[in-house]
Amino acid sequence: MHVIHSVHEMHNWVFMLKKSGKKIGFVPTMGYLHKGHLELLKLGRGQCDVLVASIFVNPTQFAPGEDYNGYPRDLKRDMELAQWAEVDCLFLPDPAEIYPPGYRTFIEVESLSENLCGAFRPGHFRGVATVVAKLFNIVAPDAAFFGEKDAQQLLIIRKMVEDLNFPVKVVGCPTVRESDGLAMSSRNVYLADEERAQATALHRSLLKAKEMVAGGETDAKKVLAAMREVLSEAPAVQVEYIQAVDVATLQDVSRIVGKVLIAMAVHVGKARLIDNIMLDTEVRGDAAKTAEMHAPH
Amino acid sequence: MHVIHSVHEMHNWVFMLKKSGKKIGFVPTMGYLHKGHLELLKLGRGQCDVLVASIFVNPTQFAPGEDYNGYPRDLKRDMELAQWAEVDCLFLPDPAEIYPPGYRTFIEVESLSENLCGAFRPGHFRGVATVVAKLFNIVAPDAAFFGEKDAQQLLIIRKMVEDLNFPVKVVGCPTVRESDGLAMSSRNVYLADEERAQATALHRSLLKAKEMVAGGETDAKKVLAAMREVLSEAPAVQVEYIQAVDVATLQDVSRIVGKVLIAMAVHVGKARLIDNIMLDTEVRGDAAKTAEMHAPH
């Protein structure tokens, strides 16, 4: 496994590969790898000739007061896991390599960045879009792999790639969960035992929504209220938002019809956790079968 | 000469070339080609294996009320000139190909976009940065060629390329002038005869600045006042701004020391014209020798 720290070296390495016609798969991460990341790497490994992963805790996507400094890091373990996942090249830039002094260029995917997490994390998706564009220019992947757990992020990246004409195929991968339903997240490490037990309420509330919509309920207010009720049984879980939004626009919907994303963010102790479910009432058969997240066009 | 209208076809064409290791040179234009463009094409032709030019009057870089609709167009003549300049591929997208419905991603190069033309053309450089990034992703050039007449544009594009890690070499080319000093511009066609005669005052005022700085004058206020005096002799020329700015930051300077850009925009009849001169008082010998515009680092 190559380990590359500089943009310059990465550009050179990629340039050689491109000339040989190799198809590059790319999994950008913030490290502290979990099974969700490993699924992304597995998918990339299967679909591409060369697999590149990056580990970079991106400062510009943390709002002031968030957990940038405390974000969990374990490079030694991550490198072992990357090796195990047959990563060909691990890109490990320093923050100063990505944002040198005088840095001042930012990418905005307008309106998609404003609702849901965007409303609570000012500048977050600007930071995400910007660093992903930079990494795409540095790694020049043919395909890049992102988890559906970060649904808004995935939709914003798809839109950016489409709008800015990046020659990159964006592949979304289903959320990987613990056996009790908790979505895999590097931030789960923040949870104390009792908080960890109560955090299963997120997935239970999403299953409740799925069940109601499958039963014919289309009133978003009723569905969201029932979800809040499920969550209220877990007092450690403090809801930041629970919303039902149109998949293409990420604007709130009052009726759950067609492709709707139900997304939530909660605080549990020190951890801010997010989770979501995609519903598609137009899928034949089971009316509320969860659908894979497609590009909104 | 290939003529390509769609992003998809351009991506495919470029992908083939990249595999064969060809070096792609790119000259993005808004058409209505003049000798300045031809110099860019000549430079690109000399430095690269394959020469791509684009003609696209970019709507997002025109502020409301500007001359987007009236911007001069002559595709037949442009195609003849491109052929003559040995362009291999001409990219001629429709506006809807570049900005399909629902388009919402924009690039900001902060602070560099706010002074000079940026102060008078809201959103202009956001539109420029965005379309250039898109064209870079579509054409995947190894080198791209821009005129120094659009000095602020060139500096912003250099900064964007550096910040977003585009693997593109940005080459600036000296302003090409008519024999009487008027900088070549597609917008010169707007000038009536008497306006055209008076428009030579722009270059005369820049030469006045050069002469004063060569003579040891470092007070920006005095230099700019002398330039205004030159311009006042041409009553058709209405000054929008004349400023002396630091080349790296584009912030106003009070003393002309080191690398300083003196830039101006004026209205002459229907036409808004810009011109500039780069001074470098640290160049050995002639203290105010005009310097080639280098990246500000």
Side-chain angles (χ1 to χ4, degrees):
Chain A
M1 185 172 73
H2 282 68
V3 176
I4 292 181
H5 292 87
S6 85
V7 171
H8 180 71
E9 201 185 333
M10 197 73 218
H11 267 158
N12 288 347
W13 195 74
V14 162
F15 181 73
M16 301 255 294
L17 287 170
K18 287 278 160 184
K19 264 172 77 171
S20 68
K22 298 277 193 217
K23 196 177 163 190
I24 300 176
F26 178 45
V27 179
T29 82
M30 300 214 298
Y32 212 72
L33 303 180
H34 53 65
K35 282 184 195 159
H37 296 116
L38 297 182
E39 279 302 308
L40 298 174
L41 292 170
K42 193 172 156 188
L43 214 64
R45 182 72 279 169
Q47 293 186 17
C48 302
D49 304 315
V50 176
L51 181 58
V52 179
S54 64
I55 297 178
F56 179 63
V57 183
N58 174 35
T60 64
Q61 73 188 68
F62 288 80
E66 288 186 355
D67 59 343
Y68 172 66
N69 287 318
Y71 194 85
R73 291 160 169 94
D74 188 344
L75 186 56
K76 187 166 170 290
R77 183 169 159 279
D78 284 348
M79 288 179 75
E80 285 165 11
L81 286 169
Q83 188 107 47
W84 179 85
E86 299 176 52
V87 168
D88 295 301
C89 175
L90 194 57
F91 181 48
L92 296 177
D94 276 339
E97 181 73 5
I98 298 297
Y99 301 110
Y103 187 92
R104 60 184 80 198
T105 305
F106 294 94
I107 297 178
E108 285 273 5
V109 182
E110 293 181 352
S111 87
L112 294 187
S113 302
E114 289 150 25
N115 202 358
L116 307 177
C117 285
F120 294 91
R121 305 188 70 187
H124 172 64
F125 289 113
R126 190 179 86 137
V128 168
T130 301
V131 82
V132 169
K134 283 171 65 73
L135 290 168
F136 282 2
N137 279 341
I138 294 165
V139 174
D142 296 277
F145 301 84
F146 296 88
E148 290 178 357
K149 198 205 73 180
D150 299 300
Q152 188 173 13
Q153 168 177 284
L154 175 55
L155 290 166
I156 286 170
I157 290 168
R158 278 198 199 287
K159 187 63 182 153
M160 176 184 75
V161 163
E162 179 192 335
D163 279 357
L164 294 185
N165 307 104
F166 278 99
V168 178
K169 183 181 164 198
V170 175
V171 183
C173 306
T175 301
V176 178
R177 298 180 181 281
E178 304 283 358
S179 57
D180 61 5
L182 179 65
M184 299 276 177
S185 166
S186 304
R187 289 185 170 102
N188 291 348
V189 72
Y190 294 147
L191 298 169
D193 287 353
E194 176 53 27
E195 291 163 354
R196 170 66 188 78
Q198 292 194 25
T200 57
L202 277 75
H203 188 232
R204 282 202 310 281
S205 76
L206 292 169
L207 292 180
K208 176 72 184 174
K210 181 178 170 179
E211 182 195 309
M212 287 174 77
V213 175
E217 183 57 67
T218 61
D219 186 335
K221 226 181 234 172
K222 283 187 190 160
V223 171
L224 298 175
M227 292 177 69
R228 281 184 185 270
E229 212 177 294
V230 172
L231 291 168
S232 69
E233 289 157 23
V237 174
Q238 300 297 314
V239 176
E240 186 175 273
Y241 71 79
I242 312 183
Q243 287 170 254
V245 298
D246 179 274
V247 170
T249 64
L250 295 185
Q251 297 304 301
D252 287 47
V253 294
S254 54
R255 294 190 61 230
I256 298 177
V257 172
K259 285 185 186 170
V260 171
L261 172 73
I262 297 185
M264 63 201 307
V266 306
H267 289 270
V268 189
K270 251 184 72 184
R272 181 181 180 278
L273 305 178
I274 59 174
D275 205 345
N276 70 81
I277 194 167
M278 281 280 297
L279 301 173
D280 188 345
T281 61
E282 278 154 20
V283 170
R284 209 163 48 86
D286 180 352
K289 213 156 118 186
T290 53
E292 271 198 76
M293 189 172 304
H294 296 294
H297 58 264
Chain B
M1 184 172 74
H2 282 69
V3 177
I4 291 181
H5 292 87
S6 84
V7 171
H8 180 70
E9 202 186 331
M10 197 72 219
H11 267 157
N12 288 347
W13 195 74
V14 162
F15 181 74
M16 301 253 296
L17 286 170
K18 287 277 159 184
K19 264 172 78 171
S20 69
K22 297 277 192 218
K23 194 176 163 190
I24 299 175
F26 179 45
V27 178
T29 81
M30 299 214 300
Y32 213 71
L33 302 180
H34 53 64
K35 282 184 195 159
H37 296 115
L38 297 182
E39 279 302 308
L40 299 174
L41 293 170
K42 193 171 156 190
L43 214 65
R45 183 71 278 167
Q47 293 186 16
C48 301
D49 303 316
V50 176
L51 181 59
V52 179
S54 64
I55 297 179
F56 180 63
V57 183
N58 175 35
T60 64
Q61 73 188 68
F62 289 80
E66 288 186 355
D67 58 343
Y68 173 65
N69 287 318
Y71 194 85
R73 292 160 168 92
D74 188 343
L75 186 55
K76 188 166 167 292
R77 184 170 157 278
D78 284 348
M79 287 179 75
E80 286 164 12
L81 286 169
Q83 189 106 47
W84 180 85
E86 298 176 52
V87 167
D88 295 301
C89 176
L90 194 58
F91 181 49
L92 296 178
D94 276 339
E97 180 74 6
I98 297 297
Y99 301 110
Y103 187 92
R104 60 185 81 198
T105 305
F106 294 94
I107 297 177
E108 285 272 5
V109 181
E110 294 181 351
S111 87
L112 294 187
S113 302
E114 289 149 26
N115 203 359
L116 307 178
C117 285
F120 295 91
R121 306 188 70 187
H124 172 64
F125 289 113
R126 191 180 85 135
V128 168
T130 300
V131 82
V132 169
K134 283 172 64 73
L135 290 168
F136 282 1
N137 279 342
I138 295 165
V139 175
D142 296 278
F145 301 83
F146 296 87
E148 291 178 357
K149 199 206 72 179
D150 299 299
Q152 187 173 15
Q153 169 177 284
L154 176 55
L155 291 166
I156 285 170
I157 290 168
R158 278 198 200 286
K159 186 63 182 152
M160 177 184 76
V161 163
E162 180 192 334
D163 278 358
L164 294 184
N165 307 104
F166 277 99
V168 178
K169 183 181 164 199
V170 175
V171 183
C173 307
T175 301
V176 178
R177 299 181 180 280
E178 304 283 358
S179 58
D180 62 4
L182 180 66
M184 298 277 178
S185 165
S186 305
R187 289 184 170 104
N188 291 347
V189 72
Y190 294 147
L191 298 170
D193 287 352
E194 176 53 27
E195 291 163 354
R196 170 67 188 79
Q198 292 194 25
T200 57
L202 277 76
H203 189 232
R204 281 202 311 279
S205 76
L206 292 169
L207 292 180
K208 176 72 184 174
K210 183 178 169 180
E211 182 196 309
M212 287 175 76
V213 174
E217 183 57 67
T218 61
D219 186 335
K221 226 181 232 170
K222 284 187 190 161
V223 171
L224 298 175
M227 292 176 69
R228 281 184 186 271
E229 212 178 293
V230 172
L231 291 167
S232 70
E233 288 158 23
V237 174
Q238 301 297 314
V239 176
E240 186 175 272
Y241 70 78
I242 312 182
Q243 287 170 255
V245 298
D246 179 275
V247 170
T249 64
L250 294 185
Q251 298 304 301
D252 287 46
V253 295
S254 53
R255 294 191 61 230
I256 298 176
V257 172
K259 285 185 185 170
V260 172
L261 173 73
I262 297 186
M264 63 202 307
V266 306
H267 290 270
V268 189
K270 250 184 72 185
R272 181 180 179 279
L273 305 179
I274 59 174
D275 205 344
N276 71 80
I277 195 168
M278 280 280 297
L279 302 172
D280 189 345
T281 60
E282 278 154 21
V283 169
R284 211 162 49 85
D286 180 352
K289 215 156 117 186
T290 53
E292 271 198 80
M293 189 173 303
H294 296 293
H297 58 264

